[in-house]
Every structure is written in structure tokens, then in C-alpha cells.
Amino acid sequence: MGKNDNVENWAVLRAQQILMREGMDLAVSARDANTGTVRAKGKLLAMAIAASLMEASAASVRAEAAS
């Protein structure tokens, strides 16, 4: 398995985790038509995505430094 495969597998796993947590919470809030909760859950989803991008960036920097 190459480096790109590892990154792709990591990205798929993280996307699944985020979707199962924050995405499901957002969907339930939307179903319940609770605007305030939808807004809050949407923000949590955006923050989870941003955190995963920062995690990927940090891992990339560490990998480059180790090379």
C-alpha cells in the first residue's frame, strides 16, 4: 500500500466518522425543524471538517519533515 492509499483510506475513514456524528445530528435537527439547533449542528459539522483538514495538514508537515 502506497502513501496515497494511506491518505485516501484515512480521508474516507475521517469523512465517515464526521458524517456519522455531526452529519446525523444535523439531519435529526433538520427533521425536527429546529432552526436554532440546525444552525448549531451545522456549525459543529463545519468545525469538524476544518479540524480534520488541519489534522491532515499537520500530518503532511510531519511526513515532509521526516523525509
Side-chain angles (χ1 to χ4, degrees):
M1 186 182 298
K3 181 181 176 184
N4 288 339
D5 291 335
N6 288 336
V7 171
E8 184 178 331
N9 289 336
W10 175 86
V12 168
L13 179 61
R14 289 294 289 141
Q16 288 173 338
Q17 291 170 341
I18 290 169
L19 184 59
M20 290 304 296
R21 280 191 320 263
E22 286 79 12
M24 186 58 71
D25 288 347
L26 178 59
V28 169
S29 297
R31 181 199 64 199
D32 295 342
N34 186 331
T35 305
T37 305
V38 168
R39 190 173 295 117
K41 298 299 182 179
K43 184 175 180 179
L44 289 174
L45 176 59
M47 290 170 41
I49 292 169
S52 70
L53 292 173
M54 289 189 299
E55 181 182 348
S57 178
S60 175
V61 169
R62 285 192 304 271
E64 287 180 19
S67 300

